[in-house]
Amino acid sequence: MDGEIGNGVMKTASNGVNEYENRRLTDDEFDRYSRQMIVPGMGKEAQLRLINSRVLIIGAGGLGCPAAQYVAASGVGTLGIVDGDVVEMSNLHRQVGHATSRIGMKKVDSLITHLKDLNPLPTYTPHPFHISSQNAADIISKYDLVMDCTDNAATRYLISDICVLLQKPLVSAASVQKSGQLIVLNCPPAQQGLIDKPYPPCYRCCFRKPPPPSAMVTCGEAGIMGTVVGMMGVAQAGEAIKILASNLHKPSTSTNPSAPPSENLCQPHLLLYTYDLASGIGPYTFRAAKMGGRKKNCFACGENSPSTLTLEGIKGGNPNYEQFCGLNAASTTLLPKEERITASAYHQAKVKGELPEHILIDTREKEHFSFGSIEGAVNLPFTTLLTKAFKIKRAGQEEGKAEDILPPQAKEVSEDAPILFVCRRGLDSQEAVEKFKELGLDKGGKRKIMDIMGGMKAWKDEVDPDFQFI
Amino acid sequence: MGSSEPTSCETIPITVEFSGGLEMLFSNKAKHAVAVPSIDPVTNSPFNIGHLIRHLVDNLITDDRTDLFVLDDHLRPGILVLINDADWELEGEEEYEIQSGDAILFVSTLHGG
Ligand SMILES: [Zn+2]
């Protein structure tokens, strides 16, 4: 055991950064962290840095749960968690810090319950609401390092901007379906606007513009493998622990160039993880891509950024993150009323026997379709439909070619029988109608092509409450 | 692939990869061996990433939703390009002249969690 003694009194160093005196670890701490402290590069000093640091995890979901578990277990002194949601059954295959017995509980409370049992030593602070332009700076200012475990682009830009302004390092990860990404940003933090030498990038330096809303995919739509998002959350915790243990979370200002940023932090690597369910031999791929440093023209951290981005501005709604990410523009109605039928109207007509002979095409992916559909529906996944439509168009619309896109069951009905589309929530089905009309399959109006409004979600809500909707 | 028009110039072999969901637009395949002309036939200048993007839309894409890959003749926002595992901004972006054996990765940035 180390023979030094101290009482852990905090003193303020001349540079205004709080430093802790070297102290003896308590017996509990010594015992609990012993296996970690003897790892080369750790030791007592690194452990004390962890104990004296404050970490904020934003999002208590698939990334936040594993991230919080490992950060808490490693012995950080204070762990704050932000999330406004409650635990749902469909979270539990990946959000392993919650529990079946805690469904319906606020996620922050559920996760903290788990963490306290895992490690009672840290101080846990719940923030049981979503992060917003109004509250972000107040919350983030109380911590030394931020972990972005959120699930949408608008929040990611907000968090990064606040981290630039408050000079906090940001460990950012994201994951959808079978892919994950991870990057350390703004570390060590440098004052906004400095460009006299290489400085680390912010989120905007690396990802200047968000994708259009039509290209944004959520875990709710595309699905997510628990192990994939879990791997990213654990890796995120690893980066946070490394930064805190190495004291890289302290701002290096021009008056205090104590921590000259090393090259690999000024040009951080973006970790890309891909997992392939279909591949037997290559189960996964990791790759690391070298990113650029702070950009001179960055809106948030570049040369003129102090005039474009301020804390007061953000609180007052400038920039408008929702608008930046195009969230207000999305339209969900493409077709005129005459080309649409509600789920309940379809059902009633069918029950009364008033429905003419028709073909019903379900455009959800085959994994969704495997849980059932409307009776008589045939499956033509949207991506397959688009690929086929594209091939036909490229080959030139010769007579008969367009018919190739129809499922084989179409031959069992008369050739002018109406075609109906249904999808998950009612957008793809409308696009499918438009696509079929583009291919001339409506025969100039002779053949009706329509969609069921609101998709299988509406079918469950209006017709069949027992339907297993994903 | 190598389905570009025959020109007097030779072709160079490269690898093009798609990740983060973009592979969906390219026959659901992550990795493609592609042969591109060393000189762009339209502009008569060395074949660069900008030319490659157009080439992929003309020859390799298998999905109608080209707007998920290009918008207004440029790569759509939210796609990172990695040239031999480095951000293309370090290499000159669209101007980077393609070399034999280059590995070009297009990654859609993710936001879920
Ligand atoms: Zn920046």
Side-chain angles (χ1 to χ4, degrees):
Chain A
M1 210 204 272
D2 196 307
E4 287 174 86
I5 36 170
N7 57 7
V9 175
M10 191 174 80
K11 68 173 187 197
T12 301
S14 54
N15 57 22
V17 175
N18 291 331
E19 300 279 355
Y20 280 79
E21 271 182 72
N22 198 353
R23 68 159 166 92
R24 180 191 163 102
L25 295 183
T26 66
D27 289 349
D28 266 4
E29 288 168 341
F30 184 76
D31 201 11
R32 179 177 289 270
Y33 307 127
S34 57
R35 297 300 184 278
Q36 163 176 304
M37 292 189 295
I38 56 175
V39 171
M42 287 295 292
K44 181 182 165 195
E45 198 187 351
Q47 187 61 50
L48 276 172
R49 285 194 189 123
L50 286 180
I51 289 172
N52 289 310
S53 62
R54 303 161 300 175
V55 173
L56 182 67
I57 294 184
I58 308 178
L63 292 165
C65 281
Q69 288 174 323
Y70 283 91
V71 167
S74 76
V76 300
T78 301
L79 181 52
I81 298 168
V82 189
D83 202 312
D85 287 339
V86 297
V87 180
E88 293 174 25
M89 183 84 87
S90 66
N91 299 148
L92 294 176
H93 83 285
R94 66 188 189 281
Q95 303 184 13
V96 293
H98 304 304
T100 308
S101 59
R102 295 197 292 274
I103 288 170
M105 191 190 270
K106 281 268 184 193
K107 280 188 178 178
V108 286
D109 297 329
S110 164
L111 182 53
I112 288 173
T113 303
H114 170 82
L115 298 174
K116 276 184 175 162
D117 203 20
L118 179 63
N119 186 357
L121 300 181
T123 302
Y124 297 103
T125 310
H127 301 280
F129 36 75
H130 289 300
I131 196 130
S132 69
S133 293
Q134 278 66 49
N135 64 26
D138 293 339
I139 299 174
I140 289 175
S141 64
K142 298 188 179 78
Y143 296 87
D144 301 310
L145 179 143
V146 178
M147 299 175 72
D148 187 341
C149 301
T150 62
D151 61 2
N152 68 86
T155 308
R156 290 178 181 276
Y157 284 98
L158 166 67
I159 292 170
S160 171
D161 286 355
I162 300 281
C163 285
V164 167
L165 290 163
L166 296 177
Q167 297 190 51
K168 308 289 181 188
L170 175 60
V171 185
S172 182
S175 187
V176 174
Q177 205 173 60
K178 300 178 291 178
S179 307
Q181 296 171 355
L182 166 74
I183 189 166
V184 172
L185 298 162
N186 208 31
C187 180
Q191 205 185 320
Q192 183 195 31
L194 288 183
I195 53 149
D196 55 322
K197 52 182 186 181
Y199 290 101
C202 76
Y203 191 77
R204 285 185 194 264
C205 291
C206 297
F207 313 106
R208 199 167 56 84
K209 274 168 84 182
S214 60
M216 268 193 249
V217 197
T218 67
C219 296
E221 293 156 6
I224 174 80
M225 290 301 286
T227 52
V228 174
V229 66
M231 187 100 73
M232 301 322 291
V234 174
Q236 223 178 340
E239 293 308 300
I241 291 166
K242 194 162 61 179
I243 292 163
L244 297 167
S246 322
N247 222 16
L248 285 167
H249 55 292
K250 306 272 170 67
S252 72
T253 59
S254 47
T255 48
N256 171 37
S258 57
S262 65
E263 202 231 345
N264 76 25
L265 283 165
C266 283
Q267 293 201 311
H269 281 82
L270 172 70
L271 178 76
L272 302 162
Y273 173 59
T274 319
Y275 172 84
D276 188 355
L277 277 166
S279 162
I281 349 161
Y284 56 78
T285 327
F286 278 112
R287 55 203 298 170
K290 192 176 191 180
M291 303 298 288
R294 171 175 282 186
K295 293 225 169 65
K296 196 176 166 192
N297 62 356
C298 176
F299 171 85
C301 72
E303 194 171 20
N304 297 318
S305 58
S307 64
T308 52
L309 184 76
T310 62
L311 288 174
E312 300 72 48
I314 292 175
K315 236 182 183 161
N318 178 32
N320 181 328
Y321 293 93
E322 277 76 29
Q323 203 170 46
F324 178 58
C325 295
L327 296 182
N328 305 328
S331 155
T332 50
T333 309
L334 306 172
L335 299 178
K337 269 211 306 266
E338 313 79 72
E339 294 176 9
R340 316 198 68 190
I341 181 169
T342 64
S344 53
Y346 176 89
H347 177 66
Q348 277 160 25
K350 193 170 185 177
V351 171
K352 290 184 194 157
E354 290 167 359
L355 213 55
E357 183 189 40
H358 67 286
I359 161 161
L360 176 62
I361 301 176
D362 185 331
T363 62
R364 294 174 302 155
E365 293 303 314
K366 66 175 193 294
E367 290 78 11
H368 284 88
F369 189 75
S370 69
F371 292 94
S373 185
I374 298 170
E375 197 197 332
V378 294
N379 189 212
L380 176 59
F382 192 55
T383 46
T384 313
L385 182 154
L386 291 175
T387 306
K388 284 188 172 173
F390 191 62
K391 268 197 198 134
I392 293 167
K393 258 205 245 165
R394 188 161 268 180
Q397 288 178 17
E398 297 147 42
E399 201 64 37
K401 265 268 166 62
E403 310 285 334
D404 293 353
I405 200 170
L406 293 171
Q409 291 88 339
K411 296 207 175 70
E412 296 159 18
V413 297
S414 69
E415 60 175 33
D416 288 338
I419 300 172
L420 272 87
F421 284 103
V422 66
C423 66
R424 190 168 162 265
R425 304 189 70 119
L427 191 58
D428 288 355
S429 58
Q430 298 181 66
E431 288 187 30
V433 171
E434 291 189 328
K435 200 62 33 182
F436 267 40
K437 284 166 72 180
E438 261 175 57
L439 291 173
L441 288 163
D442 64 335
K443 302 180 179 175
K446 240 171 67 191
R447 184 172 205 174
K448 264 194 152 176
I449 305 181
M450 303 176 71
D451 95 307
I452 295 183
M453 287 167 78
M456 292 309 294
K457 174 79 171 67
W459 183 260
K460 181 182 174 74
D461 293 344
E462 298 169 21
V463 179
D464 180 9
D466 290 334
F467 179 73
Q468 294 192 321
F469 174 82
I470 305 181
Chain B
M1 282 293 292
S3 50
S4 52
E5 285 99 290
T7 54
S8 56
C9 69
E10 61 211 80
T11 61
I12 41 182
I14 59 169
T15 313
V16 179
E17 289 180 74
F18 303 98
S19 150
L22 286 176
E23 62 279 9
M24 185 179 75
L25 305 176
F26 297 88
S27 17
N28 244 317
K29 223 177 93 185
K31 199 169 182 173
H32 300 253
V34 177
V36 297
S38 55
I39 303 290
D40 179 58
V42 180
T43 57
N44 231 345
S45 55
F47 202 81
N48 63 29
I49 295 279
H51 301 135
L52 174 68
I53 291 167
R54 208 190 54 221
H55 180 88
L56 295 175
V57 172
D58 290 343
N59 297 288
L60 200 64
I61 209 162
T62 54
D63 194 301
D64 212 3
R65 294 169 293 176
T66 52
D67 59 327
L68 291 181
F69 190 64
V70 285
L71 277 178
D72 307 323
D73 274 341
H74 293 281
L75 204 62
R76 78 147 164 84
I79 297 178
L80 283 177
V81 185
L82 303 171
I83 302 171
N84 301 320
D85 285 330
D87 187 0
W88 72 335
E89 294 192 3
L90 301 172
E91 308 284 348
E93 305 197 8
E94 288 188 352
E95 308 295 312
Y96 172 81
E97 291 172 11
I98 288 177
Q99 312 292 314
S100 177
D102 275 350
I104 318 286
L105 172 64
F106 294 89
V107 198
S108 175
T109 56
L110 306 176
H111 303 92

